[in-house]
Amino acid sequence: MAETVVVGNGGPIPEDNIINRRGGESIYQSCVNLKKRLTELPEFEQHLHEMEDADRLQANTDPVASLWTCLRNGYPLLTIYNASGPDEYLEIDPTKVPEAKRPKAATFKFLQASLQELAFPQQDCFLITDLYGDSTTGFIKVIKMVNRVLDILEMQGQLKRPTDYSTHAPERTVKLTKREHILKELLETERDYVHHLQNLQALKKELEETGALTGDASHQIFLNLNNLLDFAQRFLIRIEQHYALPEEKQNWGELFIQHEEAFRQYEPFIANQMRCDEVCLQEWDKIRAAPRPLDLKQMVAQPATLNGFFVKPFQRLTKYPLMLSELRKQTEDVDLQTDITRAIDSIQSVLDSANDAIDKEHLATAFTELDERVDDWKTLKIDSFGNLLRFGTFTVLKGDNGKDSEREMCTLFALNPLEKFHGPIHYHLPNPYWN
């Protein structure tokens, strides 16, 4: 029987549940491995040379950007398909198609042939916009489909030699230093984190496709998840790229600082947590019944499990300063230490802003509930009270503070007055009425 762990206030969750699994292959690893597979395709050699020349000219060391640019030319996709020896080879007639439109025309032919001749299911094919758009999630679909065509070529014996491209690097026999341990943890946990966001996006897509959630409800729950995932995948690419550099060329503080503004995408997602929880509970029966794949069913097995995915961004954001602080302790260069300190401050700024946004959400909700709970405001107008500053439950003494004074638990509200008032307004509700 599988071991279990407990998440939040929910019941036990099996150890093999999707929330406990390590991340799979990252987009960076996928591109590295795909480029290796393409070297085994003799017909693709010219495209590889063109890719290398372009990388050298642009001083590009990013395998994702390199492969993305290559496949956007369209013709490499035709080369891959034609290597299968089809009855009719795919070609673009330059006399009929303007030069600017040839890449997309070639891509369209590749997709059409994959559907009709290779019998690919529609859902396994990428869209034109996945390749020519700017979404890393879309490009992952391109990678998967190209790999699937290469699988067919491998079964046909068209590749030079079948090779096992394991996503796991060979174990090092040399003992890692403390610094190397920290960076290894940063990389591996970042892969896991991105994998969790990908699962969350898969659930979003499933709930929308099955009609379990309307557009409004989906937005209230997932908000800017798509943008957040795209940034997380891009940031992981940079981490992988930086990790591959020699130690003397690494500047981890600068890497985080370069993405300071992009990290702001965390703020609305984190601040939306309370509304997300509320809508999830309202729609829970439909959310739980909708998913078809087993992994997605596990995600909605209970509210605590699903909530565990939604809090991942906040948990990840709080983890960065801790890991960077440990890395700073292992760094002797003063300039590098300074950059790491700046990086920690920038991440902390995002966390502070997110916490402020959460506080505002709580205050706004409490203010609305205050208005709804009071039956008769008499001559008072709540709109004139100003903003709610804070609220809480306190013990209030009724009487002259003597022995006969009564104690009563009340919820106290402190509001920011408008100009015509000269001090904060306090209003309290006895707890029986508040509850």
Side-chain angles (χ1 to χ4, degrees), residues 186-256:
L186 171 64
L187 175 59
E188 292 181 348
T189 54
E190 191 73 15
R191 288 172 180 165
D192 293 341
Y193 166 62
V194 169
H195 186 59
H196 284 306
L197 290 187
Q198 290 171 340
N199 288 331
L200 200 56
Q201 188 190 54
L203 177 64
K204 174 180 181 290
K205 181 181 178 182
E206 180 77 0
L207 295 176
E208 291 173 347
E209 288 182 349
T210 58
L213 291 180
T214 63
D216 287 343
S218 179
H219 179 72
Q220 288 177 323
I221 292 174
F222 296 98
L223 203 65
N224 64 328
L225 173 64
N226 290 346
N227 291 338
L228 184 60
L229 172 58
D230 186 65
F231 164 64
Q233 289 177 155
R234 291 179 185 276
F235 188 56
L236 176 56
I237 292 170
R238 296 293 164 253
I239 289 180
E240 303 243 26
Q241 194 176 358
H242 208 68
Y243 187 80
L245 293 174
E247 181 178 339
E248 62 272 14
K249 292 186 178 182
Q250 294 179 358
N251 185 337
W252 290 96
E254 183 182 35
L255 177 66
F256 277 81

Side-chain angles (χ1 to χ4, degrees), residues 298-316:
Q298 290 183 347
M299 289 180 67
V300 297
Q302 53 190 13
T305 307
L306 181 56
N307 180 262
F309 283 90
F310 281 110
V311 299
K312 290 291 182 183
F314 177 75
Q315 292 172 340
R316 189 59 187 167

